[in-house]
C-alpha cells in the first residue's frame, strides 16, 4: 500500500501511471457501488472526452446557424463552417499540447494534482508567467460567463414555443433557479451520463430541423438574397466562429481524463461528427425559409408546431441545462480557488460557496435577452482571443527557444512535422482571427447588438415574440 502511495506521488513524466493508480484505489474503495457509479457518474475515458467535446460544441448554436446562413448565403455558410471547424480543432490541439507540457514540467518538480483541477490560466501562468495568466483568466472567465448567460436566454427562448402563457423574462427567472442546481456537480469527471444524453439530444434536434424543413417545403415566394450587407455577413461569420470555439473548457475536460495524452485528436473527431449535424440542418432550414430567417434568430420559431417540434424543444432545454453546467463549472473552480475552498471534499459546502457565481449570470440574462446577436458579439470579442489567438500565441512563445523545442513533451504532429510549419499555421490563425474575427466581426456584431438594444430596449420582456392576439384587435 505504501509503495503504491509512493508511486502515486512519484515523478511521472508520462503521468498516466498516477491516474491508473488513482483509478485502482477508487475501484477498491467502493467496489459494491462501483459499477453503477462508474456507469453514470465517473467518466474519464477517451469516449467520455469525445462526448463532452461534441455535446459541448454545438448546443444552442444549432438553432442560430440557419439565421447565420440567411446573413451570409448558403455557400459561405458551408465553407466557413468547415474552415472554422478545422481551425478550432487545431487550436484545441495546441491547448492540449500546452497542458501536457505544463503538467509534465510540474510533475518533474514533484507537484501533485490529486485534489486540484488544472485550468487554462494556470497553464499560461506556469509556461509564460503572470501577465499571461491575467489575460487568460480575464478572457476565459468573461467568455464562460456570457456562455452561461446565452444558455439561460436560449432556455427561455425555446420554452416559449411550447408555452407562451408566460413571457420570456419570467421563463428566464424560472430557468435561472433550475440551472443553479449545477453547483452540486463536482467536476467534469461527473458529466458522463449528461454528455452522452446531451449529444443524443442535439443529434435528434439537428435531424428534426433537417427533415421538418424538407417536409414543410419552401415557403411561397422564398428568396435567398444573402449576403446583402457587410454588417450581416460578418455577424453571421462570427456566429460560426463561436460555434467551433466551444473549447474554453478543453483543459478541464482533459484533466478529467485518465490518460490526457490521448486527447490530441479527440476534438477533431468531435468536430467531424458535429459537421453532420450543423451543415444539413442549417442548409435545409435556410433552403425552406430563406430571408425570413433574418428576423428569426431561433430556427424553432418558423417551423410549425407538432409533437416532433415539442420533443426537440424539450430535449434542447435539457441540453442547455447541461451546457450551462459545462460553461459554469470552470467558473466555479476559479471562484473556489479565490475563496480557498477548492480542496474541500464536502460537495454541499462547495455548492454553497459556488452560488455567488450564478447570481450575476441570471441578472445579465434578464438585462440582455438577445439570443442571436449576443452569440455573435461573444464570438467576435471573446472567443476570437480565448480560443484562437491566445492558444496560438502561447504555443509560439512557449517553444521559441531551441532548447524548449528539443525538450518538448509533445513534438509537432505527423502531418506538420517541422516546427516552421507549425509556426506558419499559428501566425496565419493569429492574423486571420484578429482581422476577420475580432476586427470586422467585432464591428459587425456590435453594430447589430446596439441596434437590438435600441429596438427592444434593455430588460425586454419578450424579445422577438409575435404580437399577442389581444394587441392585434386594438
Amino acid at each position: 500500500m505504501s509503495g503504491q502511495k509512493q508511486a502515486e506521488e512519484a515523478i511521472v513524466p508520462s503521468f498516466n501511471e498516477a491516474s491508473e493508480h488513482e483509478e485502482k484505489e477508487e475501484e477498491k474503495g467502493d467496489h459494491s457501488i462501483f459499477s453503477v457509479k462508474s456507469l453514470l457518474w465517473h467518466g474519464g475515458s477517451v469516449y467520455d472526452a469525445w462526448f463532452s467535446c461534441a455535446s459541448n460544441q454545438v448546443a444552442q448554436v444549432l438553432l442560430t446557424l440557419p439565421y447565420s446562413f440567411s446573413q451570409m448565403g448558403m455557400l459561405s455558410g458551408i465553407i466557413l463552417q468547415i474552415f472554422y471547424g478545422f481551425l478550432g480543432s487545431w487550436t484545441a490541439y495546441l491547448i492540449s499540447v500546452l497542458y501536457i507540457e505544463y503538467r509534465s514540467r510540474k510533475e518533474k518538480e514533484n507537484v501533485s494534482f490529486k485534489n486540484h483541477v488544472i485550468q487554462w490560466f494556470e497553464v499560461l501562468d506556469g509556461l509564460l508567467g503572470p501577465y499571461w495568466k491575467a489575460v487568460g483568466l480575464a478572457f476565459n472567465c468573461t467568455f464562460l460567463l456570457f456562455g452561461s448567460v446565452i444558455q439561460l436566454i436560449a432556455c427561455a427562448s425555446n420554452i416559449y414555443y411550447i408555452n407562451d402563457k408566460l413571457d420570456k423574462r419570467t421563463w428566464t427567472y424560472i430557468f435561472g433557479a433550475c440551472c443553479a442546481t449545477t453547483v452540486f456537480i463536482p467536476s467534469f469527471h461527473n458529466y458522463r451520463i449528461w454528455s452522452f444524453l446531451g449529444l443524443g439530444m442535439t443529434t435528434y434536434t439537428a435531424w428534426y430541423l433537417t427533415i421538418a424543413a424538407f417536409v414543410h417545403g419552401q415557403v411561397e415566394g422564398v428568396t435567398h438574397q444573402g449576403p446583402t450587407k457587410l454588417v450581416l455577413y460578418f455577424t453571421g461569420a462570427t456566429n460560426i466562429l463561436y460555434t467551433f470555439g466551444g473549447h474554453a473548457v478543453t483543459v478541464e475536460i482533459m484533466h478529467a481524463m485518465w490518460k490526457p495524452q490521448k486527447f490530441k485528436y479527440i476534438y477533431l473527431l468531435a468536430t467531424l461528427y458535429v459537421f453532420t449535424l450543423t451543415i444539413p440542418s442549417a442548409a435545409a432550414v435556410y433552403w425552406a425559409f430563406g430571408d425570413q430567417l433574418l428576423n428569426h434568430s431561433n430556427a424553432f420559431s418558423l417551423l410549425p408546431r407538432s409533437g416532433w417540434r415539442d420533443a426537440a424543444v424539450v430535449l434542447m432545454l435539457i441540453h442547455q441545462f447541461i451546457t450551462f453546467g459545462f460553461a459554469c463549472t470552470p467558473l466555479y473552480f476559479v471562484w473556489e480557488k479565490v475563496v480557498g475552498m477548492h480542496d474541500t471534499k464536502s460537495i454541499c459546502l462547495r455548492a454553497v460557496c459556488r452560488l455567488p457565481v450564478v447570481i450575476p449570470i441570471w441578472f445579465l440574462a434578464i438585462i440582455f435577452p438577445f439570443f442571436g446577436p449576443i452569440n455573435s458579439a461573444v464570438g467576435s470579442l471573446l472567443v476570437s482571443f480565448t480560443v484562437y489567438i491566445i492558444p496560438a500565441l502561447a504555443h509560439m512563445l512557449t517553444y521559441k527557444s531551441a532548447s524548449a523545442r528539443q525538450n518538448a513533451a509533445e513534438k509537432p504532429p505527423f502531418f506538420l512535422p517541422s516546427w516552421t510549419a507549425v509556426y506558419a499555421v499559428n501566425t496565419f490563425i493569429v492574423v486571420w482571427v484578429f482581422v476577420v474575427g475580432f476586427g470586422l466581426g467585432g464591428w459587425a456584431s456590435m453594430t447589430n447588438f446596439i441596434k437590438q438594444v435600441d429596438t427592444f430596449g434593455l430588460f425586454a420582456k419578450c424579445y422577438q415574440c409575435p404580437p399577442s392576439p389581444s394587441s392585434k384587435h386594438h
Side-chain angles (χ1 to χ4, degrees), residues 100-113:
I100 288 171
E101 183 67 41
Y102 168 77
R103 189 159 168 183
S104 58
R105 283 186 194 181
K106 282 290 172 196
E107 291 191 343
K108 280 174 190 163
E109 294 166 20
N110 241 354
V111 178
S112 168
F113 293 107

Side-chain angles (χ1 to χ4, degrees), residues 83-84 87-88 90-91 94 98 120 132 241 380 383-397 421-440:
F83 175 68
Y84 281 128
L87 221 60
W90 173 255
T91 52
L94 296 181
L98 293 173
W120 177 225
W132 278 84
L241 175 102
S380 60
V383 175
S384 54
F385 281 95
T386 306
V387 167
Y388 297 96
I389 295 173
I390 292 174
L393 279 177
H395 189 271
M396 290 198 283
L397 290 172
V422 171
Y423 268 70
V425 171
N426 288 348
T427 308
F428 168 76
I429 289 173
V430 171
V431 174
W432 175 274
V433 175
F434 187 78
V435 174
V436 178
F438 175 70
L440 295 168

Side-chain angles (χ1 to χ4, degrees), residues 25-42 192:
E25 285 300 303
E26 281 183 30
E27 264 182 70
K28 283 179 201 163
D30 43 26
H31 201 73
S32 53
I33 52 165
F34 178 72
S35 52
V36 177
K37 190 176 167 185
S38 167
L39 189 67
L40 303 179
W41 186 249
H42 204 83
R192 167 172 275 188

Side-chain angles (χ1 to χ4, degrees), residues 47 183 251:
Y47 302 103
V183 295
V251 172

Side-chain angles (χ1 to χ4, degrees), residues 67-348:
Y67 168 65
S68 297
F69 271 43
S70 70
Q71 292 170 320
M72 59 197 312
M74 186 83 81
L75 186 65
S76 286
I78 293 171
I79 290 170
L80 279 182
Q81 274 204 41
I82 294 167
F83 175 68
Y84 281 128
F86 284 117
L87 221 60
S89 300
W90 173 255
T91 52
Y93 167 76
L94 296 181
I95 292 171
S96 72
V97 167
L98 293 173
Y99 168 87
I100 288 171
E101 183 67 41
Y102 168 77
R103 189 159 168 183
S104 58
R105 283 186 194 181
K106 282 290 172 196
E107 291 191 343
K108 280 174 190 163
E109 294 166 20
N110 241 354
V111 178
S112 168
F113 293 107
K114 207 152 188 313
N115 290 324
H116 184 92
V117 175
I118 298 173
Q119 291 186 270
W120 177 225
F121 69 90
E122 292 166 319
V123 172
L124 290 173
D125 186 24
L127 297 175
L128 297 168
Y131 292 115
W132 278 84
K133 175 187 177 178
V135 170
L137 196 56
F139 274 108
N140 231 28
C141 289
T142 316
F143 167 43
L144 291 167
L145 181 81
F146 278 100
S148 307
V149 168
I150 288 167
Q151 299 311 321
L152 275 190
I153 297 169
C155 283
S157 176
N158 289 351
I159 190 75
Y160 188 78
Y161 299 119
I162 290 185
N163 182 338
D164 56 7
K165 291 184 178 65
L166 298 174
D167 60 71
K168 288 182 184 176
R169 191 168 68 195
T170 309
W171 280 120
T172 308
Y173 290 128
I174 294 166
F175 277 102
C178 296
C179 288
T181 56
T182 56
V183 295
F184 289 102
I185 301 176
S187 80
F188 283 99
H189 251 318
N190 314 114
Y191 272 98
R192 167 172 275 188
I193 190 71
W194 291 116
S195 301
F196 178 72
L197 290 174
L199 194 59
M201 290 162 189
T202 45
T203 302
Y204 170 87
T205 305
W207 287 108
Y208 156 73
L209 289 173
T210 310
I211 295 163
F214 282 127
V215 169
H216 180 278
Q218 289 188 307
V219 291
E220 208 177 321
V222 68
T223 54
H224 298 88
Q225 290 181 326
T228 51
K229 292 181 187 156
L230 275 179
V231 169
L232 292 179
Y233 188 88
F234 286 109
T235 305
T238 45
N239 191 37
I240 292 177
L241 175 102
Y242 172 74
T243 307
F244 295 98
H247 45 288
V249 294
T250 304
V251 172
E252 288 84 355
I253 291 172
M254 276 187 80
H255 192 82
M257 288 177 72
W258 300 320
K259 294 185 179 176
Q261 302 91 318
K262 289 189 173 180
F263 184 85
K264 278 189 284 190
Y265 304 116
I266 285 175
Y267 200 87
L268 176 63
L269 295 172
T271 301
L272 293 175
Y273 179 75
V274 166
F275 284 155
T276 69
L277 306 182
T278 56
I279 295 174
S281 62
V285 175
Y286 179 51
W287 167 83
F289 297 99
D291 295 337
Q292 279 189 24
L293 282 157
L294 287 167
N295 299 315
H296 294 84
S297 50
N298 189 327
F300 281 145
S301 61
L302 287 170
L303 288 160
R305 176 105 193 242
S306 69
W308 296 104
R309 193 188 81 163
D310 286 357
V313 172
V314 170
L315 291 177
M316 283 310 278
L317 280 173
I318 302 167
H319 189 264
Q320 270 140 12
F321 165 78
I322 298 165
T323 313
F324 181 91
F326 263 114
C328 241
T329 302
L331 290 174
Y332 295 152
F333 292 155
V334 172
W335 180 247
E336 285 170 4
K337 288 169 186 174
V338 168
V339 295
M341 289 293 236
H342 189 58
D343 295 339
T344 310
K345 289 278 173 72
S346 163
I347 290 178
C348 293

